[in-house]
Amino acid sequence: SMTAIGTALGADGTPISMVAGSVRRLDGGGGEDIVTFTNRRGVFVAQSLAPGEYEVQFLTTPPTRFRFKIEKGASETAQLGELRPVRN
């Protein structure tokens, strides 16, 4: 399994800090949602991921969603960098 590390930024570019969220698989790979949270700088970690497409939703008001992909053959830790929200 793999670990993804990213920085969640709001639409205005400021970090989404100290917020809980969940990661779910989008491409039919199944599995349970994974709980995550951001630190003060907006950094979050999601563990036990398989290659595939994911969405992470943070419990802001309204909720903020991000998407990312874990490639097959990637290293054990995927550095996602700065993520910007998906438009609703």
Side-chain angles (χ1 to χ4, degrees):
S1 68
M2 306 169 89
T3 299
I5 302 171
T7 302
L9 300 179
D12 62 358
T14 60
I16 296 176
S17 63
M18 309 302 286
V19 178
S22 62
V23 179
R24 68 181 177 97
R25 185 101 182 244
L26 291 177
D27 56 3
E32 294 184 20
D33 288 0
I34 297 167
V35 175
T36 189
F37 61 91
T38 60
N39 68 11
R40 292 186 195 281
R41 296 185 323 257
V43 175
F44 69 94
V45 175
Q47 298 177 312
S48 303
L49 302 177
E53 295 183 34
Y54 292 87
E55 180 175 88
V56 56
Q57 179 171 288
F58 290 103
L59 301 177
T60 54
T61 305
T64 309
R65 297 179 297 128
F66 302 86
R67 290 192 176 163
F68 64 91
K69 185 174 185 175
I70 302 292
E71 300 288 346
K72 286 183 181 176
S75 66
E76 289 183 14
T77 303
Q79 299 286 344
L80 304 176
E82 294 182 344
L83 301 178
R84 297 288 179 143
V86 175
R87 299 219 183 266
N88 291 333

